[in-house]
Structures are given as C-alpha cells and as structure tokens.
Amino acid sequence: MHSRLSASRSLARQTRSLWLSPARCEDKPIMNRYSRTVTQPKDQGASQAMLYATEGIKDDEDFQKAMVDAFRCNRHLLGLGQEIKGSLVESGLIGYQFGTVGVSDGISMGTAGMSYSLQSRDLIADQVETAAGGHWLDGMVVVPGCDKNMPGVLMALGRLNRPGLMVYGGTIRAGSCAGQPQLDLVSAFQAYGQYLQDGKTPEAEALRYETVRHACPGPGACGGMYTANTMASAAEALGMTLPGSSSYPAESQEKHDECKTVGAAMRNLIEKNILPRDIMTRSAFENSMVLTMILGGSTNAVLHLIAMAHAVGLKLTIDDFARVSESTPFLADIKPSGKYVMEDIYKIGGIPKILHFLMKNNFIDGNNMTVTGATLGENLERWVHKHGELSASQDVIRPLDKPIKATGHIRILRGNLAPGGAVAKITGKEGLGFTGKARTFDSEEAFVSAVESGSIKKGEKNSRRMREMLKPTSLIMGAGLGQDVACLTDGRFSGGSHGFCIGHVVPEAQVGGPIALVEDGDTISVDAVANTMELHISPHEMERRRKAWVAPPIKVTQGTLYKYVKMVEDASHGCITDA
C-alpha cells in the first residue's frame, strides 16, 4: 500500500545492481539502461504488451532503443483535447489546453516504478487545482485516461468547486490471436504464469509471446472492469460526465461526437453556475457505490471514492461500502472474473442503460443533478427513449433473480489481523471463506520468485508491505492456483486482480500493524460472509511479537515519494494527503 511509510519500501529495489557500469569506449553504448527493466524480462510481458500499443514500438528491436516517453492509455488524449478545445471555441468560450502527469500501471506493474502510482493521484489533483486556481479559470474540462487520473481530476474539481466536467478517454479494443479468446492486458500478465505451468517449453513460449504481442491493439484504458473503467463508470453515476462517456471506446466515433458536444455543455454549466458540489452529493456517491458493486468493479474504488468525497467536504467510510455491498448483487459477467470486456458494455447500450435498469429497480436515485443541467433520471429516460432499455436477451448483465453473487463482491473485513479494516474482492467463484498457513514476503520480487520456483503450495496465504500488485495474482491464476492460494497484503490490488484477494490491511506493516507480526506457518482464516479475518495466535503471543518488532527504515530521503509518505493517510481513510 502506498500509505504512511510503506510507500517507500519498494524503492529499496532501485539499487545500483540493476544497471550495468558505464560502457568502455570500444563497447556499444547502452541506451536502454533504465527501460530494459520492463522491456526485456519475460515476467514483464504485460509491460511489453502496453508498449507495443505506443507509437514508437514497431517491432522487438525497438525495445533496445532508449525510451523518452511512452503511455498507451493516454496516447490519444491530446487529440481529444484539441477537439474539445474546438467545441469550446464554437460555443463562445476560450479554451486553454494543459497536461498533467500520468503513471501507466500496466507498464510499471511488478517493478519499483509502481511506488509512484497511487501517489500520482494526489499529484494530479494538486496540479489541476494549481493550474486552474492560479490562472482564475472559469471552468475546466478534464480528460483522463487511466486509473488514478480520474479520481485525481475529480478531486481537483471538487476542491475548487468551479463549473467542470470529465470526458473519459475511453476503453481499449479487445485483442485477439489465433486460438485464443479475446485478450486484454491481464491476459498478458497471466501468460507468464501459464508459461511456467506449461514447463517453459518452446510451445509455451510461443503462446506467451503471441499473447503479449496482441493483447493491446491500440489506445485506451485496460479493457476489463479494472480500475480505469470502474472509476469512469463511477464518475458517470456521480453525474460528472456526459451520458455514455464511460462506455464509449477510445477509438469509437461516439467518443469524437462526445467531444464536439462539450462546448455547449460547459457553456450551460457556467451560465447556470452549476458546481461540482451541486452534483457530487451524498446521494450521487451512493449511486456510484451501487454501480461499482453491480459491475464487480475494482477494490481501488473504495479508497478513490472516499478521497473524492473528502474533496467535496463529505465523509465516506469503508462501513458505507460494507452496507451497500450487503444490499447490492453482483451482476456483470465482465473480466477479470468474467468473460466480457468494457467494449461489450458499449455494444449492449452503454452504462446509461445499466443505470436506467438500476433506477427502474430502485437501486439508485435519479433525482441528482448532473453536468448536463438535467437530473440523472432525465438523462437516462432520454437515453432509453433513443436507444431502448437494457435487453433481457443479453448476458453481460445478469437478471436480478440470477445474480453471479447475491451480495456485493467488495467485502470490508475486520479482525485481529486488520483492526482498522481490509478490503477483499470476493466474487463467490473462489469460495466465500479460506483458511491456510501463512507464507510471508516483504517484497513482490520474493513472492514472484517463490511462484517461479514452484514453492507456493495449496492452502497458503501470503504477503505484506507491498505496493499495488497485479503480477503476483496473475501468476497465481496463470499457474492454476487461483482456487488454492489466497493473497493478503497491506498493499493494493489492481482492478485486474482476481482470485481470493485481500488488500488495504490497516494498520500497515510499516507502522507495526498486526500484519507485520505474521510468521511463516501461522494459520489465518477469512470469512467473507461474516466479514472477518483472524490470525490464530494467542493475545500473549501477539504482544510478544509486537514488543520484538523493529520498524524497517524509510528508503527514501527526498523527493516526491518522501513528501508523500510524510503526509498520506491509511487506506481506510482514502490515502488522502490533505487531512
């Protein structure tokens, strides 16, 4: 978890041993001294899949070149921004275009670069707030394309409380290659685990390579109901996007058509002085939580929505998610645990049809204001009048009487291992409980090595003190251990993770939380119905270990990560930096 002091632990892996010494004058210069961390190893295949979709990579030889900039999810956003600027000008407004940082989790995942991921959310919020506040802009159109970008820009809009709306960059198309179902980034992550399970044969390598090469066919955010598409959908349920924005694919004509309508929408917001805090109300956040449960969205939505609510002066807690989860079924058969992708949501009529279905069945409130100047309910009625209601013949969204799981997949757990709470992603496909012996790891690299060596056994739980992880869970699933191994961490899980995953454990290991005291062989049990998580040792033994525990040192002493670890709150409080 990138919270408190643990954000910096992963930086210990950025040692001099990762890089070669300077080349002698007669040697060929080393140009990819840093980028080879993600472009060369087989276990970074997902990073390579992302890079194949960037403009600079034409073939494998390009991975030997120096990289100066690369970001698949956002590669098309400058163009969308230009279209939006033109729409603003046509509506009699002045548009200025400026950018902010973005960390591609798909490229950074599995490396020390992920230490910058969650931190970038608040950095984005600060940058957008600073640019708009410092220049007295009358309104903002924010155009995010990846996981942390969406909550980051919406936090900025909420803090400033000036007219604004969000245009989502859109989801990627599904990939494909011979003999395989539709591919996405998680396919590339799991391909390495499958390669290990299949014995590293030439045939296994050919399958791994083809999967990596074809998983990401173009621009746009990762294709399943991962964090980007989860947060885009949540933003639409909040009322902060134009109808359909979250489900229009990045390369669709509808995405370009949406950009052309932004100017009129922004002019209306400014004329009527409709503000983000008029839209992002308590009821709107309730709608977002419900939609997240229905769709099987990312656990990261918990900390992001808590942080976004804080930005508009509302208090949202993990207990709110627990309450909503108990009363909301899980209906969407979408990756990572299902078979469909976000593009399929688009094909059945988009998020507005699903929201209308939920409103019709009294799961959400249609009376909330939106960036159109109309209520959510009015927008949804217009949408289904034009496009029809959600069809009963489609099977992307299950009927209410045949849910994938009768209650929400996001479970808020508490117990002696997580007195401050933990967030589990339990779809029911992996069971509703787990008891196993602990294998502890203090680094993602050690965990990956254990999977590679075959030393992770059935019935084990593992890990602590980590950043966001997708590689470990993907290796577990790819190696065929998804039903037999639970992953437990004070770090975060990617929205692409599935299996028995428990993250956001509070307090964290870095500050002496009980997870720091777990030893190999300890028995841990999780009950996703009673929402409990227990370490089965005596209170006396727990206290003995606590007294013997010594805090690991902070691994950064300056820079953006150092500032972050000094300011950030824990996951149960949204990892905010302005408490």
Side-chain angles (χ1 to χ4, degrees):
M1 187 68 244
H2 297 296
S3 56
R4 289 290 180 200
L5 308 179
S6 61
S8 58
R9 285 195 84 260
S10 55
L11 270 293
R13 284 175 284 284
Q14 291 186 340
T15 60
R16 295 297 289 272
S17 61
L18 289 176
W19 310 310
L20 298 180
S21 57
R24 298 187 302 272
C25 60
E26 67 270 19
D27 292 337
K28 184 178 180 180
I30 299 168
M31 300 300 292
N32 61 342
R33 187 171 286 109
Y34 303 101
S35 61
R36 62 184 176 182
T37 302
V38 295
T39 61
Q40 302 305 309
K42 281 186 171 64
D43 66 356
Q44 289 299 132
S47 304
Q48 294 143 29
M50 294 279 283
L51 290 167
Y52 280 127
T54 60
E55 293 180 357
I57 305 298
K58 303 301 181 185
D59 54 48
D60 294 347
E61 290 301 313
D62 289 325
F63 284 142
Q64 306 302 322
K65 299 176 181 177
M67 293 185 180
V68 179
D69 190 21
F71 204 160
R72 184 214 78 208
C73 305
N74 287 351
R75 60 177 274 193
H76 63 306
L77 297 190
L78 285 175
L80 294 183
Q82 284 294 310
E83 294 178 36
I84 291 168
K85 182 177 177 180
S87 177
L88 294 170
V89 172
E90 287 183 8
S91 296
L93 306 174
I94 298 173
Y96 297 105
Q97 192 170 8
F98 63 90
T100 182
V101 300
V103 174
S104 172
D105 291 358
I107 295 174
S108 302
M109 197 74 70
T111 76
M114 276 304 292
S115 298
Y116 291 91
S117 174
L118 182 58
Q119 173 261 354
S120 71
R121 181 197 72 183
D122 292 68
L123 183 57
I124 289 166
D126 293 346
Q127 288 179 318
V128 174
E129 178 190 355
T130 299
H135 297 114
W136 289 100
L137 299 182
D138 295 300
M140 285 175 287
V141 179
V142 291
V143 191
C146 196
D147 298 14
K148 266 62 61 184
N149 307 24
M150 275 159 285
V153 295
L154 290 174
M155 286 162 64
L157 291 182
R159 290 174 186 175
L160 280 171
N161 202 32
R162 298 180 192 175
L165 61 84
M166 184 185 106
V167 175
Y168 179 38
T171 188
I172 193 174
R173 289 181 287 119
S176 63
C177 64
Q180 292 201 67
Q182 58 184 4
L183 302 174
D184 66 0
L185 183 68
V186 174
S187 306
F189 274 105
Q190 293 182 182
Y192 182 64
Q194 183 69 47
Y195 164 76
L196 296 176
Q197 185 186 39
D198 291 346
K200 305 180 184 179
T201 63
E203 294 78 13
E205 167 58 16
L207 179 62
R208 185 204 69 81
Y209 176 81
E210 288 301 311
T211 301
V212 168
R213 190 66 183 85
H214 296 97
C216 298
C222 300
M225 193 49 63
Y226 312 143
T227 305
N229 285 325
T230 297
M231 295 312 301
S233 302
E236 185 161 344
L238 269 176
M240 289 301 295
T241 76
L242 297 175
S245 182
S246 64
S247 41
Y248 292 146
E251 297 180 284
S252 67
Q253 181 58 48
E254 288 93 335
K255 183 55 63 179
H256 296 289
D257 294 341
E258 176 190 358
C259 293
K260 294 174 184 177
T261 67
V262 167
M266 272 304 301
R267 185 176 185 93
N268 183 59
L269 286 172
I270 294 170
E271 286 178 347
K272 296 180 178 178
N273 198 32
I274 299 173
L275 305 177
R277 296 192 185 199
D278 299 329
I279 297 169
M280 290 194 277
T281 62
R282 178 78 195 194
S283 177
F285 277 100
E286 294 279 336
N287 287 351
S288 291
M289 287 189 287
V290 167
L291 183 63
T292 298
M293 300 298 173
I294 292 289
L295 296 176
S298 169
T299 53
N300 288 312
V302 177
L303 60 87
H304 290 328
L305 288 173
I306 288 173
M308 289 159 57
H310 173 77
V312 296
L314 297 175
K315 185 174 179 59
L316 205 63
T317 71
I318 57 174
D319 293 325
D320 292 313
F321 285 88
R323 170 180 50 79
V324 172
S325 182
E326 289 299 332
S327 60
T328 309
F330 169 33
L331 301 180
D333 189 13
I334 306 178
K335 288 175 178 282
S337 61
K339 63 180 178 179
Y340 294 107
V341 294
M342 191 65 173
E343 190 177 16
D344 294 306
I345 293 284
Y346 159 73
K347 290 176 181 177
I348 64 170
I351 288 296
K353 278 195 180 183
I354 298 173
L355 288 172
H356 182 269
F357 168 77
L358 296 177
M359 182 178 69
K360 184 178 177 180
N361 287 279
N362 299 315
F363 278 95
I364 64 171
D365 182 0
N367 295 313
N368 302 321
M369 178 57 63
T370 73
V371 294
T372 66
T375 66
L376 178 65
E378 290 168 337
N379 291 340
L380 299 179
E381 291 296 345
R382 290 193 190 104
W383 187 275
V384 299
H385 179 75
K386 181 178 181 180
H387 301 286
E389 294 189 17
L390 187 66
S391 172
S393 64
Q394 57 78 35
D395 62 348
V396 180
I397 304 297
R398 297 281 186 86
L400 288 170
D401 60 352
K402 295 180 181 178
I404 296 171
K405 186 172 179 285
T407 57
H409 66 298
I410 291 178
R411 313 303 293 177
I412 305 300
L413 309 179
R414 283 192 170 87
N416 69 346
L417 193 53
V423 180
K425 188 177 190 179
I426 310 295
T427 65
K429 297 179 180 180
E430 58 285 292
L432 298 174
F434 196 101
T435 297
K437 298 290 186 181
R439 283 283 303 278
T440 60
F441 300 94
D442 287 331
S443 75
E444 185 174 356
E445 288 80 357
F447 180 99
V448 170
S449 295
V451 177
E452 290 174 329
S453 68
S455 68
I456 295 290
K457 306 300 181 185
K458 292 182 179 182
E460 290 186 333
K461 292 175 180 286
N462 40 74
S463 60
R464 63 188 179 209
R465 291 190 292 211
M466 298 191 187
R467 58 216 172 210
E468 179 181 321
M469 295 179 296
L470 177 54
K471 184 194 286 188
T473 55
S474 296
L475 287 177
I476 290 293
M477 298 302 293
L481 293 169
Q483 298 293 320
D484 306 306
V485 174
C487 294
L488 167 66
T489 179
D490 55 0
R492 295 182 300 125
F493 284 110
S494 163
S497 296
H498 61 125
F500 214 100
C501 303
I502 303 152
H504 304 199
V505 172
V506 175
E508 300 167 30
Q510 181 69 42
V511 297
I515 192 172
L517 311 180
V518 178
E519 297 179 356
D520 284 355
D522 286 347
T523 298
I524 299 173
S525 62
V526 177
D527 186 331
V529 177
N531 297 324
T532 59
M533 183 169 63
E534 297 293 332
L535 172 62
H536 293 286
I537 62 175
S538 68
H540 174 77
E541 175 62 12
M542 182 82 84
E543 185 59 27
R544 184 194 68 78
R545 295 182 187 182
R546 181 174 286 109
K547 289 180 179 178
W549 178 79
V550 177
I554 307 301
K555 294 299 191 290
V556 288
T557 58
Q558 64 180 35
T560 187
L561 290 176
Y562 182 74
K563 289 186 286 186
Y564 188 63
V565 300
K566 290 294 185 181
M567 295 185 293
V568 71
E569 294 290 313
D570 62 41
S572 290
H573 294 90
C575 296
I576 58 174
T577 55
D578 61 345

